[in-house]
Amino acid sequence: MRENDMLEKDEIFSKVLRAGRRTYFFDVRATKADDYYITITESKKFTEEDGSFHFKKHKIYLYKEDFTAFKEILEEMTSFVLNNKGEEVISERHQRDFKKEYVTDESKEETVTTDKSYTDIDFDDI
């Protein structure tokens, strides 16, 4: 039996989360002993200058004996982030008006500058 046939056979339950350039695959699979485990796969699309693209994938295997501890830590970490930074996404990829501030070296008497994103184009510039 081919490897792909084995993977399809072992896949019990699946969910997909599309998040911009990233896609997360959550799969319940079966071991040879017919016990279940979860795989979480992050797939990220990269586009080359010539228009071609490729995907990079990272996979986590999560076994039943680790579910409770994994869930507790994930809940603790997500609560920490949301409690400290809120749900609003703060990044230049997600906010058009995000300005990147450059840290200056005061000993060289440089000034702080902000950089416009390359997507901020004024039609007067054309």
Side-chain angles (χ1 to χ4, degrees):
M1 188 180 281
R2 290 186 350 220
E3 185 178 338
N4 287 345
D5 294 338
M6 287 290 290
L7 289 177
E8 289 176 16
K9 179 181 177 191
D10 291 345
E11 204 169 284
I12 310 300
F13 180 67
S14 296
K15 290 279 189 170
V16 176
L17 170 62
R18 298 196 195 298
R21 293 183 344 163
R22 291 184 175 85
T23 302
Y24 299 97
F25 299 92
F26 299 85
D27 300 300
V28 174
R29 298 183 181 269
T31 65
K32 291 180 182 178
D34 202 32
D35 202 0
Y36 290 171
Y37 66 99
I38 296 172
T39 61
I40 303 170
T41 306
E42 175 205 32
S43 178
K44 187 173 179 184
K45 184 177 182 179
F46 290 89
T47 305
E48 304 294 335
E49 289 181 16
D50 66 0
S52 65
F53 58 89
H54 67 279
F55 294 91
K56 286 190 179 178
K57 295 182 180 181
H58 299 93
K59 188 173 283 201
I60 296 173
Y61 294 84
L62 188 59
Y63 298 94
K64 288 192 314 187
E65 61 267 23
D66 302 322
F67 284 2
T68 301
F70 188 92
K71 182 179 174 183
E72 288 171 1
I73 291 173
L74 182 61
E75 287 176 353
E76 181 181 359
M77 300 303 281
T78 56
S79 293
F80 177 85
V81 170
L82 295 175
N83 290 337
N84 286 280
K85 292 295 181 179
E87 293 186 24
E88 182 181 356
V89 176
I90 304 171
S91 77
E92 60 186 302
R93 290 203 183 274
H94 294 93
Q95 292 183 352
R96 291 192 82 140
D97 60 347
F98 180 81
K99 303 287 188 271
K100 190 182 290 185
E101 290 191 16
Y102 293 96
V103 179
T104 62
D105 183 351
E106 292 180 19
S107 65
K108 295 181 181 176
E109 298 181 13
E110 295 177 15
T111 58
V112 175
T113 60
T114 58
D115 187 24
K116 280 189 170 182
S117 172
Y118 66 89
T119 58
D120 293 337
I121 299 173
D122 190 336
F123 285 108
D124 293 336
D125 295 337
I126 298 177

